[in-house]
Amino acid sequence: MKRLSIEERLGTDKFLVDDELPHITLDKNICNTCADKPCVKACPAGLYVLQGNEVSFDYVGCLECGTCRVVCIPKGLKWEYPRSTFGIEYRFG
Ligand code: SF4
Ligand code: SF4
């Protein structure tokens, strides 16, 4: 059996995006005062991107791992699981 890379495994997952209700939202005022912005390095899906000194974020592709919730000490984000039937459906493992 062929051993799959992380990218290949993630590629088998399916997302049903809730366009009406993002399950993670950022408070830009708090994020702008956050010196280290650990979410940028911690998110395994790379959804937090540093643009200049500001963090941009897109919840599409979220793996619902909760890592950003843990590393965000300044509490600049609001984190909920997606509404029922939305979010990621793992297909491998
Ligand atoms: S760690 Fe939290 S407060 Fe800091 S930039 Fe990321 S989401 Fe904003
Ligand atoms: S829950 Fe995980 S995958 Fe989703 S944004 Fe946070 S760190 Fe990234």
Short mmCIF file of all heavy atoms in Angstrom, two decimals, residues 24-40 48 50 53-55 57 68-69 71-78, ligand 1:
data_model
loop_
_atom_site.label_atom_id
_atom_site.label_comp_id
_atom_site.label_asym_id
_atom_site.label_seq_id
_atom_site.Cartn_x
_atom_site.Cartn_y
_atom_site.Cartn_z
N ILE A 24 -14.91 30.76 13.37
CA ILE A 24 -13.82 31.45 14.05
C ILE A 24 -13.82 32.89 13.56
O ILE A 24 -13.84 33.13 12.35
CB ILE A 24 -12.45 30.81 13.75
CG1 ILE A 24 -12.44 29.34 14.17
CG2 ILE A 24 -11.32 31.58 14.45
CD1 ILE A 24 -11.17 28.59 13.75
N THR A 25 -13.80 33.82 14.49
CA THR A 25 -13.71 35.23 14.11
C THR A 25 -12.62 35.90 14.95
O THR A 25 -12.37 35.51 16.09
CB THR A 25 -15.05 35.97 14.34
OG1 THR A 25 -15.47 35.77 15.68
CG2 THR A 25 -16.12 35.47 13.38
N LEU A 26 -11.97 36.88 14.36
CA LEU A 26 -10.89 37.60 15.04
C LEU A 26 -11.35 38.98 15.47
O LEU A 26 -12.15 39.61 14.78
CB LEU A 26 -9.67 37.75 14.13
CG LEU A 26 -9.03 36.49 13.54
CD1 LEU A 26 -7.69 36.85 12.93
CD2 LEU A 26 -8.88 35.41 14.56
N ASP A 27 -10.82 39.42 16.59
CA ASP A 27 -11.01 40.80 17.03
C ASP A 27 -9.75 41.56 16.60
O ASP A 27 -8.69 41.43 17.22
CB ASP A 27 -11.19 40.84 18.55
CG ASP A 27 -11.44 42.26 19.06
OD1 ASP A 27 -10.93 43.22 18.44
OD2 ASP A 27 -12.14 42.40 20.07
N LYS A 28 -9.87 42.32 15.53
CA LYS A 28 -8.70 43.00 14.96
C LYS A 28 -8.01 43.92 15.95
O LYS A 28 -6.80 44.08 15.92
CB LYS A 28 -9.13 43.81 13.73
CG LYS A 28 -9.46 42.95 12.52
CD LYS A 28 -8.19 42.55 11.81
CE LYS A 28 -8.51 41.71 10.58
NZ LYS A 28 -7.31 41.14 9.97
N ASN A 29 -8.80 44.53 16.84
CA ASN A 29 -8.20 45.44 17.82
C ASN A 29 -7.24 44.70 18.75
O ASN A 29 -6.17 45.19 19.09
CB ASN A 29 -9.29 46.14 18.64
CG ASN A 29 -10.07 47.12 17.78
OD1 ASN A 29 -9.52 47.73 16.87
ND2 ASN A 29 -11.35 47.25 18.06
N ILE A 30 -7.64 43.49 19.16
CA ILE A 30 -6.77 42.69 20.03
C ILE A 30 -5.60 42.13 19.23
O ILE A 30 -4.45 42.16 19.68
CB ILE A 30 -7.57 41.55 20.70
CG1 ILE A 30 -8.64 42.16 21.62
CG2 ILE A 30 -6.64 40.64 21.49
CD1 ILE A 30 -9.54 41.14 22.27
N CYS A 31 -5.87 41.65 18.03
CA CYS A 31 -4.80 41.08 17.19
C CYS A 31 -3.71 42.10 16.91
O CYS A 31 -2.53 41.77 16.86
CB CYS A 31 -5.37 40.55 15.88
SG CYS A 31 -6.40 39.09 16.08
N ASN A 32 -4.11 43.35 16.71
CA ASN A 32 -3.12 44.37 16.41
C ASN A 32 -2.20 44.68 17.58
O ASN A 32 -1.12 45.22 17.39
CB ASN A 32 -3.82 45.65 15.93
CG ASN A 32 -4.38 45.50 14.53
OD1 ASN A 32 -3.98 44.61 13.78
ND2 ASN A 32 -5.32 46.34 14.16
N THR A 33 -2.63 44.31 18.79
CA THR A 33 -1.78 44.54 19.96
C THR A 33 -1.02 43.26 20.34
O THR A 33 -0.25 43.26 21.31
CB THR A 33 -2.61 44.98 21.18
OG1 THR A 33 -3.47 43.90 21.56
CG2 THR A 33 -3.43 46.23 20.87
N CYS A 34 -1.23 42.19 19.61
CA CYS A 34 -0.61 40.89 19.91
C CYS A 34 0.79 40.87 19.28
O CYS A 34 0.92 40.87 18.05
CB CYS A 34 -1.48 39.77 19.35
SG CYS A 34 -0.83 38.12 19.55
N ALA A 35 1.81 40.85 20.12
CA ALA A 35 3.18 41.02 19.62
C ALA A 35 3.67 39.81 18.82
O ALA A 35 4.21 39.96 17.72
CB ALA A 35 4.11 41.28 20.79
N ASP A 36 3.48 38.62 19.33
CA ASP A 36 4.11 37.44 18.71
C ASP A 36 3.25 36.77 17.63
O ASP A 36 3.76 36.03 16.80
CB ASP A 36 4.45 36.41 19.78
CG ASP A 36 5.51 36.93 20.74
OD1 ASP A 36 6.30 37.80 20.32
OD2 ASP A 36 5.54 36.49 21.91
N LYS A 37 1.96 36.98 17.69
CA LYS A 37 1.02 36.40 16.72
C LYS A 37 1.30 34.89 16.49
O LYS A 37 1.58 34.44 15.38
CB LYS A 37 1.07 37.16 15.40
CG LYS A 37 0.64 38.64 15.59
CD LYS A 37 0.65 39.38 14.31
CE LYS A 37 0.14 40.82 14.42
NZ LYS A 37 0.33 41.55 15.65
N PRO A 38 1.24 34.10 17.56
CA PRO A 38 1.58 32.68 17.46
C PRO A 38 0.67 31.87 16.53
O PRO A 38 1.07 30.81 16.04
CB PRO A 38 1.47 32.18 18.90
CG PRO A 38 0.56 33.14 19.57
CD PRO A 38 0.81 34.46 18.92
N CYS A 39 -0.53 32.36 16.30
CA CYS A 39 -1.46 31.64 15.42
C CYS A 39 -0.87 31.43 14.03
O CYS A 39 -1.14 30.42 13.37
CB CYS A 39 -2.78 32.39 15.33
SG CYS A 39 -2.58 34.12 14.84
N VAL A 40 -0.04 32.38 13.59
CA VAL A 40 0.52 32.31 12.23
C VAL A 40 1.38 31.05 12.06
O VAL A 40 1.30 30.37 11.03
CB VAL A 40 1.35 33.58 11.92
CG1 VAL A 40 2.06 33.46 10.59
CG2 VAL A 40 0.44 34.82 11.94
N TYR A 48 -3.78 31.46 9.02
CA TYR A 48 -3.42 32.79 9.53
C TYR A 48 -2.20 33.26 8.75
O TYR A 48 -1.17 32.59 8.76
CB TYR A 48 -3.09 32.74 11.02
CG TYR A 48 -4.27 32.37 11.89
CD1 TYR A 48 -4.61 31.03 12.10
CD2 TYR A 48 -5.03 33.35 12.50
CE1 TYR A 48 -5.68 30.68 12.90
CE2 TYR A 48 -6.11 33.02 13.31
CZ TYR A 48 -6.42 31.69 13.50
OH TYR A 48 -7.49 31.34 14.29
N LEU A 50 0.41 36.51 7.89
CA LEU A 50 0.90 37.84 8.28
C LEU A 50 1.02 38.70 7.04
O LEU A 50 1.72 38.35 6.08
CB LEU A 50 2.25 37.68 8.99
CG LEU A 50 2.68 38.80 9.93
CD1 LEU A 50 1.61 39.10 10.97
CD2 LEU A 50 3.99 38.43 10.59
N ASN A 53 2.06 44.00 9.41
CA ASN A 53 1.99 43.71 10.84
C ASN A 53 0.61 43.19 11.24
O ASN A 53 0.32 43.03 12.41
CB ASN A 53 2.34 44.97 11.65
CG ASN A 53 2.76 44.63 13.06
OD1 ASN A 53 3.37 43.59 13.30
ND2 ASN A 53 2.40 45.49 14.02
N GLU A 54 -0.24 42.95 10.23
CA GLU A 54 -1.60 42.49 10.52
C GLU A 54 -1.79 41.03 10.12
O GLU A 54 -1.17 40.55 9.17
CB GLU A 54 -2.63 43.35 9.76
CG GLU A 54 -2.80 44.73 10.35
CD GLU A 54 -4.10 45.39 9.89
OE1 GLU A 54 -4.91 44.72 9.22
OE2 GLU A 54 -4.27 46.56 10.22
N VAL A 55 -2.66 40.37 10.85
CA VAL A 55 -2.97 38.97 10.54
C VAL A 55 -4.26 38.92 9.73
O VAL A 55 -5.27 39.51 10.12
CB VAL A 55 -3.14 38.15 11.84
CG1 VAL A 55 -3.76 36.81 11.56
CG2 VAL A 55 -1.80 37.96 12.52
N PHE A 57 -7.07 36.22 8.05
CA PHE A 57 -7.53 34.86 8.39
C PHE A 57 -8.71 34.49 7.52
O PHE A 57 -9.58 35.31 7.24
CB PHE A 57 -7.94 34.81 9.87
CG PHE A 57 -8.59 33.52 10.27
CD1 PHE A 57 -7.86 32.36 10.36
CD2 PHE A 57 -9.96 33.46 10.51
CE1 PHE A 57 -8.46 31.16 10.70
CE2 PHE A 57 -10.57 32.26 10.86
CZ PHE A 57 -9.81 31.12 10.95
N CYS A 68 -5.21 27.04 17.39
CA CYS A 68 -5.21 28.50 17.47
C CYS A 68 -5.90 28.96 18.76
O CYS A 68 -5.50 29.95 19.37
CB CYS A 68 -5.87 29.12 16.23
SG CYS A 68 -7.54 28.55 15.92
N ARG A 69 -6.90 28.26 19.15
CA ARG A 69 -7.63 28.61 20.38
C ARG A 69 -6.71 28.50 21.59
O ARG A 69 -6.78 29.28 22.53
CB ARG A 69 -8.81 27.65 20.50
CG ARG A 69 -9.72 27.90 21.65
CD ARG A 69 -10.78 26.82 21.66
NE ARG A 69 -11.82 27.09 22.60
CZ ARG A 69 -12.85 26.30 22.82
NH1 ARG A 69 -12.97 25.19 22.13
NH2 ARG A 69 -13.77 26.62 23.69
N VAL A 71 -3.23 28.59 21.57
CA VAL A 71 -2.05 29.47 21.55
C VAL A 71 -2.42 30.95 21.64
O VAL A 71 -1.57 31.79 21.90
CB VAL A 71 -1.16 29.24 20.31
CG1 VAL A 71 -0.67 27.80 20.26
CG2 VAL A 71 -1.88 29.63 19.03
N CYS A 72 -3.68 31.28 21.43
CA CYS A 72 -4.10 32.68 21.45
C CYS A 72 -4.31 33.14 22.89
O CYS A 72 -5.43 33.17 23.38
CB CYS A 72 -5.37 32.86 20.62
SG CYS A 72 -5.94 34.57 20.60
N ILE A 73 -3.23 33.50 23.53
CA ILE A 73 -3.31 33.95 24.92
C ILE A 73 -4.06 35.28 25.06
O ILE A 73 -4.83 35.46 26.01
CB ILE A 73 -1.88 34.06 25.53
CG1 ILE A 73 -1.14 32.74 25.40
CG2 ILE A 73 -1.94 34.50 26.99
CD1 ILE A 73 -1.75 31.56 26.10
N PRO A 74 -3.87 36.22 24.11
CA PRO A 74 -4.59 37.50 24.27
C PRO A 74 -6.10 37.39 24.06
O PRO A 74 -6.82 38.37 24.20
CB PRO A 74 -3.96 38.39 23.17
CG PRO A 74 -2.71 37.72 22.76
CD PRO A 74 -2.94 36.26 22.98
N LYS A 75 -6.58 36.21 23.68
CA LYS A 75 -8.01 35.98 23.43
C LYS A 75 -8.56 36.91 22.34
O LYS A 75 -9.60 37.55 22.51
CB LYS A 75 -8.83 36.17 24.73
CG LYS A 75 -8.38 35.26 25.85
CD LYS A 75 -8.65 33.82 25.54
CE LYS A 75 -8.11 32.89 26.63
NZ LYS A 75 -7.56 31.65 26.13
N GLY A 76 -7.81 36.94 21.26
CA GLY A 76 -8.23 37.78 20.13
C GLY A 76 -9.13 37.06 19.16
O GLY A 76 -9.50 37.61 18.13
N LEU A 77 -9.44 35.81 19.46
CA LEU A 77 -10.34 35.09 18.55
C LEU A 77 -11.48 34.44 19.30
O LEU A 77 -11.37 34.08 20.47
CB LEU A 77 -9.58 34.05 17.73
CG LEU A 77 -8.80 32.93 18.42
CD1 LEU A 77 -9.71 31.77 18.78
CD2 LEU A 77 -7.68 32.45 17.51
N LYS A 78 -12.58 34.30 18.60
CA LYS A 78 -13.75 33.60 19.13
C LYS A 78 -13.85 32.30 18.35
O LYS A 78 -13.85 32.32 17.12
CB LYS A 78 -14.99 34.46 18.94
CG LYS A 78 -16.26 33.90 19.53
CD LYS A 78 -17.35 34.95 19.52
CE LYS A 78 -18.70 34.37 19.89
NZ LYS A 78 -19.30 33.54 18.85
S1 SF4 B 1 -2.67 34.84 18.58
FE1 SF4 B 1 -4.79 35.55 18.85
S2 SF4 B 1 -4.63 37.73 19.34
FE2 SF4 B 1 -2.67 37.09 18.48
S3 SF4 B 1 -2.83 37.57 16.29
FE3 SF4 B 1 -3.44 35.43 16.56
S4 SF4 B 1 -5.68 35.45 16.78
FE4 SF4 B 1 -4.92 37.57 17.12
#
